[in-house]
Amino acid sequence: MTYHILHVDDEKEIIKLLKMYLKSEEVTHYEAANGREALAILAVQKIDLLIVDIMMPEIDGFELIRTVRKTNNLPILVISARVEASDRIFGLEIGADDYLTKPFDPHEAIARVKALLRRYHSLGVSNEARNVRLHVGSLELDTHACTAYISGRAIELTAVEFRVLKLLMEQPGRVFTKEQIYEHGWQDPLVGDNNVRVMMSKLREKIGADRIKTIRGLGYRLEGSHETT
């Protein structure tokens, strides 16, 4: 399978570097120097993964992520010189799936790209023959379409949010630790407390704060009872 990756950065050398390291992969590489150019490409081309810088002219990376997330849940990797924790948290809050700071190791960047593609595009594979729907009260999760519903109203989820919500809905009432949630959502044993906190906050905004209970010192659990159709 050939993946289509769009890299948005006004530093041409950064784009050239990652393009070189991606040469051996089955990738079609698209380039944009700012958010406006990126949106023009996204309007006509199916993109499997977006790599975004933050500080760019025309439309910056944060605004680009916000705009993309209104209609698309493709994986987004931020690679930026903005290293403050507040910038990383904000990027994740508005919809980025991962955040890497400059300067960076190209091998690590490629590993993160591969991980995001693997996670995102494997979401519905095991359920291709059977469209499984999980129900907890009025909350419903279509595991084939990777979409949640509350009383029939569709809610778009990022890839990480989908995996975590699926985990919680499969065993409502069970307490999952931050470590378990991070490993399941990001498929990585490295625990990022800020990532978990930000993602759970966004998930609560989408499905209702009262549905996910924080168990102090332990983790999180989904309230309600479970059924599958």
Side-chain angles (χ1 to χ4, degrees):
M1 178 178 181
T2 298
Y3 293 110
H4 296 75
I5 294 178
L6 172 57
H7 191 169
V8 193
D9 198 319
D10 60 342
E11 293 185 64
K12 293 187 181 296
E13 290 305 312
I14 297 292
I15 290 181
K16 186 184 297 184
L17 176 66
L18 281 191
K19 187 176 182 179
M20 181 179 69
Y21 276 85
L22 283 166
K23 256 186 179 177
S24 61
E25 309 298 327
E26 294 182 340
V27 165
T28 300
H29 195 271
Y30 298 85
E31 304 173 13
N34 56 63
R36 192 177 302 282
E37 290 181 12
L39 291 174
I41 293 171
L42 287 165
V44 298
Q45 178 63 52
K46 182 185 181 300
I47 297 297
D48 297 296
L49 181 136
L50 191 60
I51 302 174
V52 182
D53 183 27
I54 297 303
M55 297 181 288
M56 298 183 294
E58 303 263 353
I59 296 175
D60 69 16
F62 286 145
E63 187 59 31
L64 175 60
I65 292 169
R66 283 197 197 94
T67 302
V68 170
R69 278 291 175 252
K70 291 177 182 177
T71 58
N72 201 318
N73 69 338
L74 84 168
I76 298 176
L77 169 63
V78 173
I79 300 181
S80 174
R82 295 177 67 157
V83 299
E84 295 297 323
S86 58
D87 291 320
R88 295 197 299 272
I89 291 170
F90 184 68
L92 294 167
E93 281 181 336
I94 62 174
D97 294 288
D98 202 354
Y99 196 112
L100 186 62
T101 57
K102 299 176 182 178
F104 60 91
D105 182 339
H107 294 97
E108 181 182 0
I110 300 307
R112 293 188 185 223
V113 165
K114 289 180 179 179
L116 285 171
L117 287 170
R118 183 173 62 249
R119 296 166 198 166
Y120 182 77
H121 291 280
S122 67
L123 287 179
V125 171
S126 62
N127 289 316
E128 283 179 353
R130 179 168 177 254
N131 188 2
V132 177
R133 288 178 177 248
L134 303 173
H135 298 263
V136 176
S138 61
L139 178 63
E140 178 182 351
L141 184 68
D142 184 329
T143 61
H144 186 71
C146 305
T147 303
Y149 299 85
I150 295 179
S151 302
R153 177 174 60 87
I155 300 166
E156 292 297 326
L157 302 170
T158 67
V160 172
E161 289 168 351
F162 167 79
R163 283 190 293 271
V164 171
L165 183 58
K166 182 173 181 289
L167 175 71
L168 296 173
M169 290 185 68
E170 286 174 337
Q171 299 185 67
R174 174 182 169 180
V175 177
F176 289 93
T177 65
K178 288 181 179 179
E179 290 83 0
Q180 289 171 321
I181 288 171
Y182 190 91
E183 186 167 357
H184 196 85
W186 282 265
Q187 298 185 349
D188 189 330
L190 177 65
V191 177
D193 281 353
N194 280 340
N195 292 29
V196 173
R197 179 178 60 80
V198 169
M199 185 279 303
M200 294 302 282
S201 175
K202 296 297 290 185
L203 191 55
R204 280 181 163 131
E205 288 178 12
K206 292 182 178 184
I207 70 170
D210 59 333
R211 296 179 190 272
I212 298 176
K213 185 174 180 61
T214 300
I215 309 301
R216 191 173 297 278
L218 293 175
Y220 302 88
R221 75 170 181 231
L222 185 71
E223 304 286 71
S225 57
H226 160 263
E227 61 179 279
T228 303
T229 60

